Every structure is written in structure tokens, then in C-alpha cells.
Amino acid sequence: MKNKFLYLLLFFLLISCSKSKVNTSSGIVAIEDTADLPDQISYHLEMSFVDSSFTKAIIEAKRGRVYASKNCSILDSGIKVTFFSATGRKSAVLTATELEVDDITKNMIAKGNVVVISDSTNTKLETEVLEWDNERRKIHSQVFVTVTSPREIINGWGFESDENLNKYQFFKVNGVISK
């Protein structure tokens, strides 16, 4: 009876702490702060961003985590975002290592090996961090960006464009190569 009570007490002590340690045969292992744990985890998911009249984007990922207290979702592993025009045609595709979505504004930050390919302009953007403003339907970055179009290759820091890469600007151009 004492052993059951001791195990029950130990169990409640472990789960009541937001940060605790557990002894294992290989040493001491820290358990994550429970405030940093996701409220939901999904695998092989697809999310649609729909305006009142059309689908703006569809996101595919192998894993997604929802953090309700932070009002954000973090998706990773096999990120693919397909953007659509107001007429419903596919306009661009974004791939990245990780994607953070603000669950209130629906703004997104793509990180790691970010590539955007525009169907309409046959233009490719490459960077490490790219943000999408849902309301303005603009993409922008403050880090190094390379844009390859049928006419030229432009490198630079700081970038803003419409999501289709039709009209874009660099804030600090590093180099331009004409094709």
C-alpha cells in the first residue's frame, strides 16, 4: 500500500511542475517547460486560407503544431504553399523548411531554404526568411534575396513584391546579371 501511495505522490509531483527532471538509467533528462508545448499536433495536413469569395492559399505540411496561447501555428517538414489569384488560378508556389502562421492575422513567415516560383512570370525567388502579409497580399524579406527572371538575376538585401512576383523591388541591390 505504501508503494502505491509513493508512486502516486511521485506521479503528481512530476506532472505538477512546469519544468522538472526525471532520473533515467543514462542520467538526468530535462522535461520541456509545459508552456512551450503545443496544444495540438497534426501530421500530413492541409490548410486553406479562404476569403469570402475565393481561396487565397493552400498550405501543405508533414507536421503542424498549434500554440493557442501564442495565437500561432508552426508547420515543418515538406512545406508547400500554393497561392491563387482572385480568379482562382494558381499564381505561385512557395516551399520552405518551416512556416509560422499568425492564427489571427493569417500572416506567415517562411524560414529555411525558401523558394517561390511564380507561374505567371516564370520568376524564382530564393532566400532564408520571407514574410507574407495576408491583407496586403505582399511578400517581403530583410535578408539576402536572389530573384531569377527570364531577363535577369538580381541579388540584394531587403525585398518587397506582390505575391506573384510581377512587381518587385530591392532595398539594397548587390548585383544584377542580364541574361
Side-chain angles (χ1 to χ4, degrees), residues 77-97:
S77 306
I79 302 297
K80 179 182 174 185
V81 182
T82 305
F83 293 98
F84 297 92
S85 68
T87 61
R89 294 186 61 202
K90 182 176 91 168
S91 58
V93 175
L94 176 146
T95 57
T97 304

Side-chain angles (χ1 to χ4, degrees), residues 32 38 40-47 59-67 73-80 96-101:
E32 290 185 56
Q40 298 175 24
I41 299 175
S42 298
Y43 295 94
H44 306 287
L45 60 101
E46 184 175 290
M47 296 170 55
I59 302 172
E60 299 171 55
K62 291 184 181 172
R63 182 176 73 160
R65 294 165 285 156
V66 177
Y67 297 88
S73 298
I74 298 176
L75 303 115
D76 57 31
S77 306
I79 302 297
K80 179 182 174 185
T97 304
E98 179 177 290
L99 187 69
E100 185 175 323
V101 181

Side-chain angles (χ1 to χ4, degrees), residues 38-149:
D39 297 292
Q40 298 175 24
I41 299 175
S42 298
Y43 295 94
H44 306 287
L45 60 101
E46 184 175 290
M47 296 170 55
S48 297
F49 285 55
V50 180
D51 197 346
S52 59
S53 60
F54 68 97
T55 300
K56 290 182 178 182
I58 295 176
I59 302 172
E60 299 171 55
K62 291 184 181 172
R63 182 176 73 160
R65 294 165 285 156
V66 177
Y67 297 88
S69 63
K70 299 176 186 178
N71 293 317
C72 77
S73 298
I74 298 176
L75 303 115
D76 57 31
S77 306
I79 302 297
K80 179 182 174 185
V81 182
T82 305
F83 293 98
F84 297 92
S85 68
T87 61
R89 294 186 61 202
K90 182 176 91 168
S91 58
V93 175
L94 176 146
T95 57
T97 304
E98 179 177 290
L99 187 69
E100 185 175 323
V101 181
D102 183 312
D103 292 335
I104 295 173
T105 65
K106 305 302 184 209
N107 293 339
M108 295 185 275
I109 302 173
K111 299 175 185 175
N113 300 317
V114 181
V115 177
V116 179
I117 298 175
S118 171
D119 286 2
S120 60
T121 62
N122 198 24
T123 302
K124 178 171 133 179
L125 175 144
E126 298 169 274
T127 188
E128 285 302 310
V129 179
L130 186 67
E131 298 182 43
W132 180 56
D133 185 315
N134 177 42
E135 189 169 320
R136 293 177 47 226
R137 297 188 65 110
K138 297 266 187 183
I139 56 175
H140 56 94
S141 180
Q142 299 304 317
V143 300
F144 190 78
V145 175
T146 299
V147 172
T148 305
S149 73

